[in-house]
C-alpha cells in the first residue's frame, strides 16, 4: 500500500512524514522545502504476528508494510505548472490513497501560504488543482471516444455518456469520488487515472494544546468533518508535533506518554487503521518455523487469489486452504490442539478470506 501525504506548504506535512517514518525528510518553515518526494516504509503493527512469533519462534518475521510518500507542497496554479505543480501531479498519480494534511491551528510564527488559516479553503485549493488536471485528461479521452463513435463503433456511446457525466461533476467543482459509480463504470475509468477518484483521509493537524480538546469543540476540525461528509472521506485528528515527540520515544515510554495525553493510540496507529478501512484491506497470516508473515489483500478476496499473493504457482495449482481463525488458535495453544478440536477447516476455491485467518495453502503445479 502506498499513501501520498499532500497539503499546502507549511501545514505540517513534512513534520508528520518525519514523525511517522523517522526517515528524516527535511522540514522547514518555507514553501517547497520538500522538492523530491521522500519515501518512507512503515511496519504495520500487528499483535497477532507478535503472538504467533511467541508460539513458533520463527527464523524470520515479516509484518505488512505501508509506503508513505511525502509529496511537494502545492500552490494555486499547480495544474498549469505553477510552483512544483507538474511534479506534484505525477507523484500523486502513483499512490493508492491520499493523506491530505490540513492546518487546523493558529501560530503567528508559522507562515501560511494564503495569509490566514481556513481549512476548507485550503482543501478546496488542492482539490481544484486536481480537478483541473482531471478535466484535461477527460477532455482528451472524450475526444478519443467521439472519434471512435464517428467510426461507427456504437458500443462507445455508453462510455461517452458516462465520461460526459463525470466531466460535468468536475466542472461543478466536485471531485469524482463524490459520484456513485457502478463496477461497469469503474472499469471504463480503469485506464483514465483520475486524481480526484483516489480515496482521501483528511488529517486535521491541531496544535499540541488543542490535541486533548474534544473534536466537536474545535471549530477547524468540525469544518473539515463537514466537508469530508460531502465526499464520504475519512477524517482523523493528529498533532504533527506530538507525533514528532512520540517517534523519539521507546515503546514503554510511548505508552506512558499517550496515557498522559488521554490517548489510546498514536496518530500513526490511527492512520494505519483508517487507511486499511478506506482501501478495504485485510490481512491473512502464514505461520511456521521458517517464517511468520502478514499478507495484505482486498476484503472479499477468495482463497486462490490470496494464495497468488505468495506465488503465482499457488494460485495456478490451488487445491485447498487449511484455515484456522487466529482467536481459535490462541485459545487452543497449538495447531495440533486446534486440529483435534476440529477448528482447522479445509476450504475450497470459493472460500472468501477473513481478516486474521491463519492459512496453509495446498497446491500442485
Amino acid at each position: 500500500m502506498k499513501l501520498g501525504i499532500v497539503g499546502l506548504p507549511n501545514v505540517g506535512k513534512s513534520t508528520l512524514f518525519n514523525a511517522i517514518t523517522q526517515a528524516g525528510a527535511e522540514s522547514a518553515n518555507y514553501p517547497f522545502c520538500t522538492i523530491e518526494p521522500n519515501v518512507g516504509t512503515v511496519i504495520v503493527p500487528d499483535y497477532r504476528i507478535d503472538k504467533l512469533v511467541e508460539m513458533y519462534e520463527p527464523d524470520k518475521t515479516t509484518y505488512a508494510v505501508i509506503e508513505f510518500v511525502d509529496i511537494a507542497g502545492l500552490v494555486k496554479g499547480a495544474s498549469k505548472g505553477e510552483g512544483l505543480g507538474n511534479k506534484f501531479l505525477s507523484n500523486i498519480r502513483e499512490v493508492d490513497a491520499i493523506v491530505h494534511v490540513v492546518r487546523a491551528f493558529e501560530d503567528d510564527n508559522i507562515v501560511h501560504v494564503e495569509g490566514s488559516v481556513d481549512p476548507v479553503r485550503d482543501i478546496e485549493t488542492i482539490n481544484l488543482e486536481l480537478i483541473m488536471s482531471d478535466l484535461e485528461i477527460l477532455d482528451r479521452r472524450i475526444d478519443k471516444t467521439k472519434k471512435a463513435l464517428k467510426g461507427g463503433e456504437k458500443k462507445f456511446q455508453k462510455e461517452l455518456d458516462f465520461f460526459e457525466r463525470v466531466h460535468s461533476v468536475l466542472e461543478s467543482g466536485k471531485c469524482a469520488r463524490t459520484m456513485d459509480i457502478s463496477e461497469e463504470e469503474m472499469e471504463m475509468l480503469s485506464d483514465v487515472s483520475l486524481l480526484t477518484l483516489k480515496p482521501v483521509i483528511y488529517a486535521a493537524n491541531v496544535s499540541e494544546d488543542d490535541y486533548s480538546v474534544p473534536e466537536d469543540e474545535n471549530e477547524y476540525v468540525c469544518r473539515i468533518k463537514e466537508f469530508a461528509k460531502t465526499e464520504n472521506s475519512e477524517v482523523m485528528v493528529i498533532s504533527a508535533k506530538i507525533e514528532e515527540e512520540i517517534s523519539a520515544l521507546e515503546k514503554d515510554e510511548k505508552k506512558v506518554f499517550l496515557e498522559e495525553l488521554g490517548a489510546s493510540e498514536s496518530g500513526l496507529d490511527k492512520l494505519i487503521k483508517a487507511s486499511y478501512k478506506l482501501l478495504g484491506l485485510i490481512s491473512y497470516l502464514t505461520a511456521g518455523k521458517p517464517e511468520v508473515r502478514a499478507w495484505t489483500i482486498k476484503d472479499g478476496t477468495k482463497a486462490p487469489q490470496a494464495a497468488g499473493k505468495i506465488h503465482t504457482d499457488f494460485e495456478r495449482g490451488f487445491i485447498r486452504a487449511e484455515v484456522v481463525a487466529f482467536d481459535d488458535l490462541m485459545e487452543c495453544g497449538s495447531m495440533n490442539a486446534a486440529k483435534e478440536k476440529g477448528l482447522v477447516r479445509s476450504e475450497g476455491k470459493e472460500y472468501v478470506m477473513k481478516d486474521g485467518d491463519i492459512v496453509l495453502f495446498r497446491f500442485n503445479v
Side-chain angles (χ1 to χ4, degrees):
M1 180 179 6
K2 187 184 271 193
L3 302 180
I5 302 181
V6 307
L8 290 173
N10 295 349
V11 296
K13 184 173 58 66
S14 292
T15 303
L16 177 65
F17 173 81
N18 290 349
I20 61 180
T21 64
Q22 297 182 354
E26 188 188 359
S27 174
N29 181 22
Y30 56 91
F32 307 130
C33 172
T34 311
I35 296 189
E36 290 300 326
N38 293 280
V39 180
T41 302
V42 172
I43 284 173
V44 176
D46 193 331
Y47 74 96
R48 299 170 304 194
I49 292 284
D50 300 336
K51 290 289 185 186
L52 290 171
V53 166
E54 286 175 23
M55 182 179 283
Y56 284 94
E57 298 181 350
D59 301 327
K60 186 180 176 187
T61 305
T62 307
Y63 292 81
V65 295
I66 295 180
E67 203 171 89
F68 285 97
V69 185
D70 180 24
I71 297 170
L74 189 74
V75 292
K76 278 181 185 170
S79 57
K80 304 295 178 196
E82 289 295 321
L84 297 164
N86 293 331
K87 215 172 198 45
F88 174 96
L89 296 169
S90 64
N91 291 331
I92 206 170
R93 217 172 287 287
E94 295 165 10
V95 301
D96 299 310
I98 298 166
V99 179
H100 185 159
V101 183
V102 188
R103 181 165 164 177
F105 65 89
E106 298 278 358
D107 189 333
D108 294 338
N109 297 316
I110 299 178
V111 181
H112 191 292
V113 76
E114 293 286 352
S116 63
V117 178
D118 183 340
V120 173
R121 176 204 61 206
D122 293 355
I123 289 170
E124 287 176 339
T125 296
I126 284 192
N127 282 354
L128 182 60
E129 296 306 325
L130 302 185
I131 286 167
M132 299 289 281
S133 175
D134 281 356
L135 280 168
E136 210 174 290
I137 287 168
L138 210 49
D139 281 338
R140 289 199 294 268
R141 186 54 186 263
I142 286 170
D143 285 345
K144 187 180 171 185
T145 309
K146 281 179 176 175
K147 281 175 189 168
L149 263 174
K150 278 181 185 172
E153 296 273 3
K154 294 293 180 192
K155 64 177 182 178
F156 287 109
Q157 186 61 56
K158 188 185 275 190
E159 195 174 278
L160 180 62
D161 293 343
F162 171 61
F163 287 152
E164 287 182 336
R165 182 158 63 90
V166 178
H167 197 280
S168 66
V169 168
L170 293 172
E171 275 194 317
S172 73
K174 292 180 179 175
C175 293
R177 61 180 164 268
T178 63
M179 298 177 66
D180 287 325
I181 299 176
S182 69
E183 276 186 39
E184 184 189 0
E185 289 167 342
M186 279 301 282
E187 192 61 37
M188 293 177 197
L189 284 173
S190 62
D191 61 344
V192 183
S193 188
L194 296 183
L195 298 175
T196 64
L197 199 59
K198 289 185 183 290
V200 171
I201 298 168
Y202 291 107
N205 185 18
V206 301
S207 67
E208 291 171 271
D209 292 340
D210 287 344
Y211 188 70
S212 300
V213 174
E215 292 178 14
D216 58 1
E217 290 178 23
N218 185 313
E219 182 201 342
Y220 292 142
V221 172
C222 289
R223 287 172 64 194
I224 294 166
K225 284 186 170 182
E226 280 302 310
F227 180 87
K229 269 185 205 167
T230 66
E231 52 176 53
N232 296 316
S233 291
E234 296 278 323
V235 177
M236 55 169 284
V237 177
I238 53 108
S239 168
K241 280 292 180 190
I242 286 175
E243 291 305 309
E244 196 172 39
E245 290 173 46
I246 290 172
S247 69
L249 299 174
E250 296 296 327
K251 195 173 181 179
D252 292 342
E253 294 174 319
K254 173 178 152 183
K255 193 178 175 187
V256 172
F257 183 73
L258 286 169
E259 281 170 1
E260 286 172 357
L261 286 170
S264 58
E265 56 189 353
S266 70
L268 173 59
D269 293 337
K270 284 198 286 185
L271 183 53
I272 288 170
K273 283 181 184 173
S275 304
Y276 268 70
K277 181 182 169 189
L278 188 70
L279 292 170
L281 300 174
I282 61 170
S283 292
Y284 75 85
L285 314 165
T286 52
K289 179 60 182 162
E291 184 181 27
V292 165
R293 181 164 183 161
W295 302 87
T296 303
I297 55 172
K298 276 272 187 190
D299 196 1
T301 301
K302 291 183 178 178
Q305 288 69 49
K309 285 284 287 184
I310 300 175
H311 198 286
T312 51
D313 284 352
F314 281 35
E315 181 176 356
R316 197 157 50 92
F318 180 88
I319 299 171
R320 67 180 185 277
E322 292 175 10
V323 184
V324 62
F326 172 80
D327 289 342
D328 288 343
L329 179 61
M330 289 301 111
E331 204 174 300
C332 293
S334 73
M335 189 62 81
N336 285 338
K339 282 177 180 173
E340 284 170 13
K341 289 189 175 182
L343 295 171
V344 179
R345 310 182 308 277
S346 182
E347 301 286 2
K349 290 182 178 180
E350 293 305 307
Y351 177 68
V352 176
M353 302 293 290
K354 295 181 178 60
D355 190 43
D357 274 350
I358 299 163
V359 193
L360 174 64
F361 292 110
R362 299 292 183 188
F363 72 103
N364 182 33
V365 176

